[in-house]
Amino acid sequence: QVQLVESGGGLVQAGGSLRLSCAASGRTFSTYAMGWFRQAPGKGREFVAAVSWNGANTYYADSVKSRFTISRDNAKNTVYLQMNSLKPEDTTDYYCAGQQDLVSVTSAALWNIWGEGTQDTVSS
C-alpha cells in the first residue's frame, strides 16, 4: 500500500509561487495516477490537477489551468504541483491523492489513497 506525505505549503503574497511535493512510500507508486485536490473549510474536496502513471497525460481544473503545473518523478516516488500567479482564493488545504486505475480525475470519491494535506495561504 502506498502512503503519501505532502510538503511545501506556506504563506506567500498574491502573484507569488509555491511548489508542493508529495512523497510516496511503497514500490507501486509508478502504477498510480496521482492528483492534487484542495478543500476549503465546510466544503468538499475540489479537483485541482492530475497526472497519469507515466506522466504522459495531465489534467487541470479550469480555475488553475495555465497557472499550475503537475509533474511526477517515478524514480523519486514524488509528484509535484508548481503553483504560479497565486491568488488569495487559492488559500486552502491541499491534498495529494493516488488512483491505481484512472477512472475519474475530478471525483474525489474514486481516488484510492490520500495524504494528510498541507496548508497554503496567499495574502492579498
Side-chain angles (χ1 to χ4, degrees):
Q1 178 74 354
V2 175
Q3 293 182 318
L4 306 175
V5 178
E6 301 95 335
S7 62
L11 173 64
V12 65
Q13 288 189 328
S17 299
L18 282 174
R19 188 174 83 153
L20 304 183
S21 299
C22 174
S25 63
R27 290 178 287 181
T28 60
F29 172 78
S30 62
T31 67
Y32 282 78
M34 298 299 297
W36 289 94
F37 284 74
R38 60 189 183 186
Q39 185 171 22
K43 295 189 176 182
R45 289 189 178 179
E46 174 194 14
F47 168 72
V48 175
V51 60
S52 59
W53 67 273
N54 60 358
N57 298 300
T58 55
Y59 312 85
Y60 295 94
D62 288 343
S63 59
V64 306
K65 203 173 291 184
S66 79
R67 298 190 298 124
F68 291 10
T69 302
I70 189 171
S71 62
R72 67 187 296 161
D73 186 337
N74 285 347
K76 295 182 179 180
N77 276 16
T78 303
V79 62
Y80 305 96
L81 185 68
Q82 178 66 43
M83 304 186 294
N84 299 328
S85 301
L86 283 162
K87 304 175 181 179
E89 52 263 43
D90 295 318
T91 294
T92 190
D93 294 330
Y94 284 76
Y95 296 86
C96 177
Q99 187 175 159
Q100 198 151 29
D101 296 307
L102 189 58
V103 175
S104 169
V105 294
T106 58
S107 175
L110 296 180
W111 288 78
N112 309 115
I113 53 174
W114 292 89
E116 294 294 319
T118 183
Q119 186 176 54
D120 294 334
T121 302
V122 183
S123 63
S124 57

